């Protein structure tokens, strides 16, 4: 079985631009979560989606948005990029919404210049 | 914000030795999970311990949980060079309608030959 796949693996954007990151969960998993990991720190929760509905949102500005599609894949969108948005963006999937282990993708390394 | 702290921040041991990492957290939890991260890429789930459990084993891993002290420890026995990675604890405090993993700051483990 394929694991969680994320695309692209690396991305360089300019301040003020928009970026879309994509995630395909493990087959059969209906929950997708997004995390931001700044260098030297632990991942921080951004969003969780389950059955196409937003179930949780972390402490991130409205420039961050996400959605989940009928096939359970997900997109994370970030508008008006700032230098501080440079980070590793991780997607995690799980088969139920809570109280279970999460399976992470390899992440998308976003650099804002 | 980070839920808690891992201790130590960095640990260097020789192959064959045991490695112990500690994690403290701040709020009541449903479960606590340990993850490994190699070279700033995706996280790999190692073990999940529920709030009503005190100890759990998986291969060379032993995890303890003390909810009265809001702390956990991860013991890796007979370490190998391949265990070199960053290790994170993550707490899941939600009630069931959503899952938000809150990660600590991580312990960087270096295992030398």
């Amino acid at each position: 079985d394929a694991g969680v796949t994320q695309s692209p693996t690396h991305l360089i954007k300019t301040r003020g631009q928009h970026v879309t990151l994509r995630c395909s969960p493990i087959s059969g998993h209906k929950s997708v979560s997004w995390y931001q990991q700044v260098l030297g720190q632990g991942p921080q929760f951004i969003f969780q989606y389950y059955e196409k509905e937003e179930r949780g949102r972390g402490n991130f500005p409205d420039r961050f948005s996400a959605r989940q599609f009928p096939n359970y894949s997900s997109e994370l969108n970030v508008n008006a990029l700032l230098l501080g948005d440079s980070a590793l963006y991780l997607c995690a999937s799980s088969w139920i919404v809570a109280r279970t282990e999460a399976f992470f993708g390899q992440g998308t390394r976003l650099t804002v210049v | 914000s980070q839920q808690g702290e891992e201790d130590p921040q960095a640990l260097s041991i020789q192959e064959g030795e045991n490695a112990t990492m500690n994690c403290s957290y701040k709020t009541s939890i449903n479960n606590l999970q340990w993850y490994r991260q190699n070279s700033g890429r995706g996280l790999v789930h190692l073990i999940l311990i529920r709030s009503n459990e005190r100890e759990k084993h998986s291969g060379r891993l032993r995890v303890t949980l003390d909810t009265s002290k809001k702390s956990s420890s991860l013991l890796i026995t007979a370490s190998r060079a391949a265990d070199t990675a960053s290790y994170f604890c993550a707490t899941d405090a939600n009630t069931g309608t959503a899952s938000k993993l809150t990660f600590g700051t991580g312990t960087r483990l270096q295992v030398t030959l």
Side-chain angles (χ1 to χ4, degrees):
Chain A
D1 272 344
V4 177
T5 58
Q6 292 187 244
S7 62
T9 54
H10 295 83
L11 200 54
I12 300 175
K13 288 286 190 178
T14 305
R15 277 177 298 175
Q17 284 188 317
H18 162 91
V19 68
T20 297
L21 310 181
R22 295 178 174 83
C23 172
S24 293
I26 292 172
S27 177
H29 285 192
K30 298 181 179 180
S31 174
V32 170
S33 298
W34 288 94
Y35 291 82
Q36 180 197 64
Q37 186 178 22
V38 174
L39 193 63
Q41 297 186 17
Q44 292 209 9
F45 174 79
I46 310 176
F47 287 109
Q48 184 191 33
Y49 277 78
Y50 180 73
E51 289 280 16
K52 303 182 291 296
E53 290 185 359
E54 182 183 302
R55 288 300 191 97
R57 175 185 286 255
N59 188 24
F60 280 81
D62 292 343
R63 298 185 296 107
F64 288 76
S65 64
R67 55 180 175 168
Q68 187 177 32
F69 299 99
N71 66 354
Y72 303 111
S73 67
S74 177
E75 283 183 355
L76 175 69
N77 295 284
V78 187
N79 292 324
L81 285 166
L82 304 174
L83 295 179
D85 295 331
S86 295
L88 180 67
Y89 288 85
L90 295 160
C91 173
S93 78
S94 57
W95 67 283
I96 56 174
V97 69
R99 305 186 183 187
T100 186
E101 64 190 299
F103 295 84
F104 282 81
Q106 290 300 299
T108 294
R109 174 77 61 189
L110 172 65
T111 302
V112 182
V113 297
Chain B
S1 62
Q2 306 287 166
Q3 161 73 294
E5 301 283 331
E6 275 97 335
D7 171 52
Q9 290 187 343
L11 180 61
S12 183
I13 59 174
Q14 290 191 322
E15 204 171 45
E17 294 181 334
N18 295 341
T20 299
M21 289 160 259
N22 302 297
C23 167
S24 61
Y25 57 92
K26 298 173 183 174
T27 64
S28 296
I29 61 172
N30 292 317
N31 64 68
L32 185 144
Q33 304 178 33
W34 285 89
Y35 288 83
R36 184 185 74 225
Q37 185 176 41
N38 292 82
S39 303
R41 300 306 294 180
L43 291 99
V44 175
H45 182 268
L46 296 176
I47 197 164
L48 180 155
I49 186 166
R50 304 196 185 281
S51 60
N52 61 353
E53 297 176 309
R54 292 297 168 259
E55 188 171 312
K56 204 162 183 179
H57 297 253
S58 177
R60 294 184 297 113
L61 306 180
R62 172 180 170 255
V63 168
T64 62
L65 178 64
D66 187 334
T67 53
S68 66
K69 295 181 179 178
K70 291 187 169 58
S71 67
S72 174
S73 68
L74 171 67
L75 168 67
I76 304 174
T77 60
S79 62
R80 307 165 182 168
D83 295 328
T84 295
S86 291
Y87 291 81
F88 293 91
C89 69
T91 54
D92 181 351
N94 288 49
T95 57
T97 58
S99 178
K100 167 190 168 184
L101 291 177
T102 306
F103 286 84
T105 50
T107 293
R108 294 184 305 279
L109 174 65
Q110 176 77 41
V111 181
T112 57
L113 295 172

